[in-house]
Every structure is written in C-alpha cells, then in structure tokens.
Amino acid sequence: MVSAAVLADRFRRLGVRAGMVLHVQASLRALGPVEGGAAGVVDVLLELLGPEGTLAAYTATPENSSTSRIYQAAVAGMSAEEVAEYRARMPRFDPATTPASPTMGALSEAVRTRLGALRSGHPQTSWAAVGPLAGEITARHPLTSHLGPDSPLGKLYELDARTLMLGVEMARFTPFHLADLRQPDVRLRDYRCVGPEGWVGFRAPDLDDLHFAGLGERVLGAAAGVGVGRIGGAECRLVPVREAVDLADGFLRGRG
C-alpha cells in the first residue's frame, strides 16, 4: 500500500507545488492500494497545494444524456417501449447531489463530495473544484460550451493550471478538446440530456478523443514542462495545460 507520506513525496517530485491550480485525472486501480483511498489522495493533494491552491476534477454525467455513447450502448437492442421506459427512469441532474459518472473515477467523486467543493451546472459535462479559485472555475458553464473556452476547462487554461495524470494515458487528456475547438470548420451536433428542470437540448461542437493518443505522444515529445514519475503501479505525469493545448493546436494545424 502506498502511504500518504510516499504519495506526498512523489507528488512533490512530479512538480506539485503550493498555490498551484491543479486539475487531476486519475485511475486509482492503476495506482494500486493507497492509504485512505480516493479521499486520502485528495487529502494529500490539498495539503501540498496549501490554502492558496485549488484542486479541480471533471465530474461529467454522460449517463443522463440520450446522445452519449454510454446511453447508446445501454439501449442497444431494446424495443421502442423499453427505450421509453429507460428514458423515463433517467434522473434529473442536480449539481449538489448527482454523483459523477463511474467512468470519471473515484477521485473525481472524492473531489466533488469534498467539504466546500463547488460544481458547475452543466448537466452533462460538469466540473468540481475545491479551493479559493473554485468559484471562478465553476461559475460559468453554458450548455453550448460543454468542453470549450467558456467552460471550467477553458478557465483552467486561463489560470495556467497543471493536469496531474495518475495512471491515465494522454489518450484521455481532457484539455486536448480545447485545441480541437480552435480548428477551422468545427462540426456541430445536437445533444440532449436531463437537466435540473427536465430534458434540455443544445447544439454544440461534435467532440471525440479518438485521436488523442497520437496527439499526446507528439505533445510529450515536444513539451518542456512535463514532470514524469512512477507512483505505486502507475506511470504519472504533471502536464502544463496551456503548453500542452498550444502545442496540440500547432500539431493539428500542421505546424509541427
């Protein structure tokens, strides 16, 4: 089992510092047994960040969207009547109580449920944050900028945040969506999900992460500010969001 003291030491070696804005993406399964579990990892991170640092995590809820891959897989093979019954059972999103999707990982849920945590109000792609900048990060999240510059993800870019990738490959580096949205001729699509007041629809960029693995390799090969280390059974990285997104933008435009 990885102790809290070892975690703190490894995080410091990666580059986690007091006062930092830190976005975390984690696979605790890859990390292995950790003292205190997900809550223990959050304890260590907040202690290192100190009173002036802020911790953020993606707390999306794709299960409440009829246009998500998770929904499409769930209803595959159902009759029209069964689909209607399934949709009727889908709960409304409540930023204060709706759990993050299991696909986000236990650490995201531990951030969301932390005392004092704030959460953005997007019914499909919410973010949670703890610390003095939590309000600034989560305050604005229009439906049509689900992972765009006007979302908490865009605010993390503005604040020069770092993303701590704990046992998670760059193929899942969420900030790459910001680079995608800078490209010309971004396609739009219709989305539907269950918001606090019931079903809502919106039109927003059509995003996927199928190209992130190759993009991540190129960014890691060019980036100067990435910290790399191993914690428990997991390969871990501390990635500057702004540098990674700007490099990815250049590669997508054929400038590198």
Side-chain angles (χ1 to χ4, degrees), residues 217-230:
E217 289 182 8
R218 298 183 72 185
V219 166
L220 290 179
V226 177
V228 179
R230 194 163 191 84

Side-chain angles (χ1 to χ4, degrees), residues 185-243:
D185 302 321
V186 174
R187 294 182 303 174
L188 301 179
R189 61 168 288 196
D190 293 321
Y191 294 84
R192 283 189 62 79
C193 55
V194 193
E197 306 302 323
W199 283 95
V200 294
F202 59 98
R203 192 162 178 80
D206 185 7
L207 299 175
D208 65 55
D209 57 7
L210 300 180
H211 58 298
F212 282 9
L215 189 60
E217 289 182 8
R218 298 183 72 185
V219 166
L220 290 179
V226 177
V228 179
R230 194 163 191 84
I231 305 175
E235 187 74 18
C236 304
R237 296 179 178 87
L238 186 69
V239 184
V241 170
R242 190 177 296 171
E243 181 186 25

Side-chain angles (χ1 to χ4, degrees), residues 1-70:
M1 177 175 291
V2 182
S3 69
V6 169
L7 271 181
D9 176 68
R10 298 297 186 272
F11 289 154
R12 289 191 194 95
R13 293 187 188 188
L14 282 172
V16 176
R17 297 288 183 266
M20 180 178 284
V21 177
L22 185 67
H23 165 229
V24 62
Q25 293 186 232
S27 168
L28 292 187
R29 181 177 298 179
L31 203 60
V34 179
E35 182 180 351
V41 177
V42 173
D43 287 341
V44 172
L45 289 173
L46 289 176
E47 180 68 23
L48 291 175
L49 293 173
E52 296 183 0
T54 299
L55 180 65
Y58 189 30
T59 55
T61 50
E63 291 86 356
N64 82 326
S65 167
S66 64
T67 48
S68 71
R69 293 175 188 167
I70 287 178

Side-chain angles (χ1 to χ4, degrees), residues 8-254:
D9 176 68
R10 298 297 186 272
F11 289 154
R12 289 191 194 95
R13 293 187 188 188
L14 282 172
V16 176
R17 297 288 183 266
M20 180 178 284
V21 177
L22 185 67
H23 165 229
V24 62
Q25 293 186 232
S27 168
L28 292 187
R29 181 177 298 179
L31 203 60
V34 179
E35 182 180 351
V41 177
V42 173
D43 287 341
V44 172
L45 289 173
L46 289 176
E47 180 68 23
L48 291 175
L49 293 173
E52 296 183 0
T54 299
L55 180 65
Y58 189 30
T59 55
T61 50
E63 291 86 356
N64 82 326
S65 167
S66 64
T67 48
S68 71
R69 293 175 188 167
I70 287 178
Y71 171 88
Q72 297 296 339
V75 301
M78 288 185 181
S79 68
E81 181 179 352
E82 289 170 332
V83 170
E85 292 175 353
Y86 183 92
R87 286 168 61 91
R89 294 194 303 270
M90 291 168 65
R92 295 185 180 189
F93 174 78
D94 182 338
T97 61
T98 301
S101 170
T103 61
M104 297 296 103
L107 198 58
S108 289
E109 180 66 358
V111 173
R112 183 192 74 82
T113 57
R114 188 76 179 191
L115 184 65
L118 300 176
R119 190 184 195 183
S120 69
H122 199 290
Q124 188 173 341
T125 57
S126 64
W127 296 75
V130 184
L133 295 178
E136 183 175 349
I137 291 169
T138 61
R140 178 170 170 77
H141 201 168
L143 285 174
T144 55
S145 187
H146 50 336
L147 292 171
D150 291 329
S151 74
L153 184 59
K155 181 58 68 172
L156 291 172
Y157 176 93
E158 291 179 19
L159 294 172
D160 198 23
R162 268 53 179 171
T163 294
L164 181 60
M165 304 288 281
L166 297 179
V168 177
E169 297 297 326
M170 293 296 287
R172 291 173 54 198
F173 186 71
T174 305
F176 279 155
H177 288 299
L178 294 172
D180 281 348
L181 290 173
R182 294 179 183 176
Q183 306 314 302
D185 302 321
V186 174
R187 294 182 303 174
L188 301 179
R189 61 168 288 196
D190 293 321
Y191 294 84
R192 283 189 62 79
C193 55
V194 193
E197 306 302 323
W199 283 95
V200 294
F202 59 98
R203 192 162 178 80
D206 185 7
L207 299 175
D208 65 55
D209 57 7
L210 300 180
H211 58 298
F212 282 9
L215 189 60
E217 289 182 8
R218 298 183 72 185
V219 166
L220 290 179
V226 177
V228 179
R230 194 163 191 84
I231 305 175
E235 187 74 18
C236 304
R237 296 179 178 87
L238 186 69
V239 184
V241 170
R242 190 177 296 171
E243 181 186 25
V245 170
D246 290 348
L247 284 169
D249 179 29
F251 290 138
L252 291 171
R253 293 175 185 270

